[in-house]
Amino acid sequence: METNKIEQLINSINISRETGCWVWQKGKSRNGYGLVTDKAGTTFLAHRYAYEIFRGPIPEGAYLLHSPSCVSKACINPSHLRCGDQKENMADRRAAGRYDNQPARGKALTIAERKAIFRALDGGQTAYSIAQSGVLGRRVSEPQISYLKKHRAAIEARDAKRKRKTVISILAPLQQALAESVDELCSLANAA
């Protein structure tokens, strides 16, 4: 085992005391898997990289599976990883609840839910801890929270614009009704 590769991995993780997961803290793929780049500039999935460093080569054509009890795709703990095939991978995903009823992307969250996530992030919580805490009372994935964090300014601007449109759409009919009522009162006052 190469010491500098191990040090690179250890310096890039947060070890969860509750789950034993070694959660990758650096770059992640769109799907939430850790990404590591070697000295040659080649990018690898961090869990595959860690497995090969600690346990040896992954057989040709094999899938590298997270154990069903592993709670994060960003986990690189070699004891949470094993080689398998596509069928086992799908069975593990279903058993862990990572396949069926996948959480929707950020669009499915309400403005209030996004604000709650932003408050938790402002309070120092990580995307991982928010995802695990169930702060919203429903499942929200770590990658979804990381996406919100990364694109916060644009999301908040879009939410503010939507809120203004909603307020305008509510006020416009009220304004019209008020104008009609004022006109009616004026005509009644003139008739009297």
Side-chain angles (χ1 to χ4, degrees):
M1 288 189 275
E2 292 184 41
T3 307
N4 60 347
K5 287 182 179 179
I6 294 171
E7 285 177 18
Q8 177 188 15
L9 292 174
I10 298 301
N11 291 330
S12 302
I13 61 171
N14 180 20
I15 299 174
S16 169
R17 290 184 180 148
E18 297 85 31
T19 64
C21 287
W22 298 3
V23 183
W24 187 254
Q25 297 298 302
K26 295 205 174 175
K28 292 185 182 150
S29 72
R30 190 173 69 87
N31 296 326
Y33 292 99
L35 297 173
V36 62
T37 304
D38 67 7
K39 287 182 180 179
T42 307
T43 301
F44 301 92
L45 291 170
H47 65 291
R48 294 180 72 84
Y49 188 78
Y51 184 92
E52 289 189 350
I53 288 172
F54 290 104
R55 299 183 87 184
I58 299 167
E60 184 73 31
Y63 283 72
L64 190 58
L65 314 177
H66 283 89
S67 65
S69 62
C70 187
V71 297
S72 175
K73 290 179 181 181
C75 178
I76 67 164
N77 184 340
S79 67
H80 289 191
L81 304 169
R82 72 180 194 293
C83 292
D85 60 23
Q86 174 67 3
K87 187 175 181 181
E88 289 174 287
N89 192 33
M90 293 298 105
D92 284 354
R93 287 177 68 189
R94 277 188 212 88
R98 291 190 300 255
Y99 185 74
D100 299 321
N101 302 318
Q102 282 292 305
R105 295 268 178 220
K107 296 176 202 161
L109 294 170
T110 66
I111 291 173
E113 289 171 326
R114 287 191 290 274
K115 283 183 178 181
I117 290 170
F118 292 144
R119 278 193 303 275
L121 289 168
D122 291 343
Q125 286 188 277
T126 64
Y128 175 77
S129 67
I130 296 167
Q132 298 308 307
S133 71
V135 69
L136 300 177
R138 68 180 182 106
R139 188 164 175 236
V140 180
S141 69
E142 179 183 359
Q144 185 177 4
I145 295 166
S146 294
Y147 176 88
L148 291 173
K149 182 179 178 181
K150 182 177 181 180
H151 301 284
R152 182 176 184 165
I155 290 167
E156 287 181 325
R158 185 188 67 208
D159 287 348
K161 186 176 180 180
R162 285 182 179 162
K163 191 172 183 179
R164 281 191 300 275
K165 282 184 178 179
T166 302
V167 168
I168 290 169
S169 69
I170 292 169
L171 290 179
L174 292 174
Q175 196 174 19
Q176 179 66 33
L178 182 61
E180 289 171 4
S181 296
V182 168
D183 289 343
E184 191 176 318
L185 285 173
C186 287
S187 64
L188 287 174
N190 289 338

